[in-house]
Amino acid sequence: VITVTWDKENDAAAANADCYQSRTMTVTVEEENFRSSDFKVTAQLLDVTGAPVANAGDLLTAMQAHFAESSNWNREDNRYTASYELPEAVISELTLQYTDMATRTAEWTGDSFLVDQVAPTITSIEYIAPTTTEQILEAITLNFYQAQATVKVTAEDMISGVELIDWSYARLDSASE
């Protein structure tokens, strides 16, 4: 029997009920003759676009190596427990398997969720100058008419996407409203 508990069962961000900044799983295997080398992990590690994470193979290898190492497991009677902090990615189709010495297999499959440990990156801030017509209006009205300034902010987050950009500015006393 394989059971899994999470450090954040119901602590997801309000905007995305399946998005976490970090998430640690605790796996328990009930088996009299447990061998950590018989524990297998399979998963798809994707980014927010559904593409495989660049280092997905390395992340899965590290996860498998962690669970294969007997020193990472704690024993209490015939219950073996190990914890693992999941990598940053969309985790989908996470499957854990244990095959005992009699070749009986226990399997656990979980729901997909997202682990995103990095804030979005602002990739550009662009000032878009007023049009020639607006500049002429400013000149002939002796700056009574002041053209709107346009600022374009671009941000990206390849794991969970950008939900919103929060911004502010200070208006000069001489600026029109």
Side-chain angles (χ1 to χ4, degrees):
V1 175
I2 299 173
T3 56
V4 176
T5 57
W6 301 96
D7 64 335
K8 294 179 170 108
E9 281 294 341
N10 299 308
D11 189 26
N16 184 348
D18 296 319
C19 185
Y20 301 85
Q21 287 186 349
S22 67
R23 201 161 194 209
T24 300
M25 61 190 289
T26 300
V27 178
T28 302
V29 177
E30 293 183 36
E31 170 60 38
E32 185 66 35
N33 299 304
F34 179 79
R35 295 182 304 191
S36 60
S37 60
D38 293 333
F39 189 85
K40 303 291 179 234
V41 177
T42 58
Q44 287 189 19
L45 304 178
L46 310 170
D47 65 22
V48 71
T49 68
V53 173
N55 58 345
D58 294 338
L59 294 172
L60 277 173
T61 299
M63 191 183 309
Q64 180 63 53
H66 176 82
F67 286 113
E69 177 57 49
S70 62
S71 63
N72 291 328
W73 293 88
N74 297 314
R75 179 182 182 180
E76 185 176 317
D77 298 323
N78 65 339
R79 294 174 48 130
Y80 292 79
T81 304
S83 294
Y84 188 76
E85 185 173 343
L86 292 164
E88 176 177 78
V90 174
I91 310 291
S92 63
E93 299 178 24
L94 176 63
T95 302
L96 308 175
Q97 288 183 333
Y98 180 77
T99 303
D100 66 12
M101 294 171 77
T103 68
R104 293 182 305 251
T105 300
E107 185 172 288
W108 178 91
T109 301
D111 295 330
S112 64
F113 57 88
L114 175 68
V115 178
D116 188 354
Q117 300 168 343
V118 179
T121 302
I122 295 176
T123 56
S124 69
I125 300 175
E126 180 182 350
Y127 172 74
I128 302 169
T131 65
T132 304
T133 303
E134 289 175 317
Q135 290 174 353
I136 292 171
L137 279 173
E138 279 184 350
I140 63 174
T141 62
L142 303 174
N143 287 332
F144 179 75
Y145 171 82
Q146 293 187 351
Q148 289 185 333
T150 302
V151 177
K152 180 180 177 183
V153 179
T154 306
E156 69 178 23
D157 185 329
M158 291 308 297
I159 298 295
S160 63
V162 176
E163 183 172 334
L164 73 104
I165 297 174
D166 189 15
W167 59 276
S168 65
Y169 70 98
R171 186 176 59 84
L172 297 175
D173 292 336
S174 62
S176 62
E177 293 187 29

